[in-house]
Amino acid sequence: MALTPAEKSAFIRDGLLIKRGAVGSDLVARARVLVDDWLRESMDPALIHSYTQRTFAPELGGHPDLLGLFSSSGAATLAGALLGDFQPVSTTQIQVRIPESQPEKAMHVDGVACPHLDPDELRTFSLLVGVVLSDITDPTGGALRYQPGGHLTMSEWFRDQWSLGITDQVPPDVDARAGTPFLGAPGDVLLMHHLVPHAVGRNLSREPRIMAYFRVSHVAHAEHRLQSLRDPWLDYPGLAGLHQAEASS
C-alpha cells in the first residue's frame, strides 16, 4: 500500500492522513472479539481512570491478533512510507470511550507534560497509527478531535516558548480550539504526526467507541526526543526535502 505524492503533501500540510478500509475485516473481527471478551469478563470498573490514562486490556497489548492490525495489514507499510525505517512495534494501546463514564481529555501532545508523568519526562514517538474497531459516526460518541496543521504550530511553541518542566501541554490558543472529530468505520486507519494536538470527547452515545493505537518511532527517535519536538520533520527524512520544496515554491 503506497502513498501518492498528493497524500504526502496532505500529510505535510495537515499532519495526518485517513486511509479508509486499510485493515481487512477478518483482522478487525479477531481483534474485536478479544476486546469485547475483555470488556465483558475482565474489566474492573474501578480502574477505568487508569485504563483511560494508559490502555484498556493491558494484558492483551502484545497479543498477535491485536498486533496484526498493524503488522499484518497495510498500516505498517503506510508508516514506513512516511518514516522510512522505524523501531519494531511490540504493543497495542486499546482505548475505549464508555458511554457517560469518562470525562473529556483536554488538548495535548502525547507523552509531554502528561498529568500522570513527571513534567521533566518525555515519552514521545514519531507517528500515531489508529485503527478503528467500532463505528464512529457520531461526533459526540467519544471521538478523538484533532487540529489539522497543529504539528507546525506546536513545533514553533516547543522551539520558542517551551522547555522541559513546563506543565502546560499546549499553548492557550491551541487549547481553546475544539478540533475536528475523527469519524470512521471499522478498518479505517488514522496516521497522525505525533505533534498534532488532539483531545477526546465524552461518549454521549449508547455504544462504546473502540480504537487500537500503535505508537511508531523512527529508528533514531530515542536519540533526539527533545529536538523532534522542535523540528517536525526530523523523524521524517523522506518528507523533509518535499516540505522544503513546497515551502519555497
Side-chain angles (χ1 to χ4, degrees):
M1 186 177 294
L3 291 178
T4 66
E7 288 175 322
K8 291 181 179 180
S9 293
F11 185 87
I12 289 170
R13 181 190 67 238
D14 298 333
L16 60 98
L17 285 173
I18 299 170
K19 297 289 282 187
R20 303 295 182 187
V23 177
S25 58
D26 56 333
L27 293 172
V28 170
R30 290 201 296 271
R32 184 64 192 265
V33 166
L34 279 176
V35 176
D36 286 347
D37 286 349
W38 185 90
L39 289 171
R40 184 175 57 254
E41 299 171 3
S42 301
M43 185 181 75
D44 182 349
L47 297 179
I48 287 178
H49 176 74
S50 176
Y51 298 144
T52 303
Q53 292 288 356
R54 293 175 174 82
T55 181
F56 284 72
E59 61 270 37
L60 297 178
H63 194 287
D65 285 346
L66 292 179
L67 291 175
L69 294 168
F70 180 79
S71 60
S72 299
S73 71
T77 301
L78 292 169
L82 293 170
L83 295 171
D85 294 332
F86 56 83
Q87 296 172 10
V89 173
S90 59
T91 190
T92 313
Q93 181 194 36
I94 298 297
Q95 274 299 332
V96 183
R97 299 300 283 182
I98 298 171
E100 302 287 358
S101 295
Q102 298 136 298
E104 178 177 326
K105 275 190 176 182
M107 280 291 167
H108 64 283
V109 167
D110 288 333
V112 181
C114 296
H116 58 284
L117 297 178
D118 186 315
D120 287 325
E121 183 180 2
L122 291 177
R123 292 190 185 177
T124 55
F125 50 94
S126 306
L127 177 71
L128 182 69
V129 178
V131 180
V132 179
L133 295 182
S134 65
D135 282 309
I136 309 173
T137 57
D138 184 352
T140 67
L144 179 145
R145 302 196 312 271
Y146 59 86
Q147 296 190 22
H151 58 311
L152 304 177
T153 302
M154 290 304 300
S155 66
E156 292 178 1
W157 185 67
F158 283 126
R159 185 171 59 248
D160 300 335
Q161 302 179 48
W162 179 90
S163 60
L164 275 173
I166 289 178
T167 56
D168 293 337
Q169 292 189 278
V170 296
D173 61 322
V174 170
D175 190 44
R177 300 171 194 163
T180 300
F182 170 57
L183 305 178
D188 290 350
V189 172
L190 172 70
L191 301 153
M192 191 168 75
H193 194 296
H194 168 259
L195 287 176
V196 171
H198 55 283
V200 188
R202 294 181 62 211
N203 186 352
L204 304 180
S205 74
R206 296 182 178 181
E207 300 295 329
R209 184 225 71 181
I210 306 173
M211 292 282 299
Y213 287 111
F214 302 91
R215 285 160 163 72
V216 188
S217 294
H218 182 269
V219 287
H221 178 77
E223 301 168 13
H224 53 230
R225 291 182 189 275
L226 188 57
Q227 298 95 310
S228 68
L229 292 176
R230 298 165 177 168
D231 178 355
W233 307 117
L234 189 60
D235 285 349
Y236 294 81
L239 299 184
L242 181 58
H243 169 256
Q244 291 173 355
E246 293 186 351
S248 61
S249 63

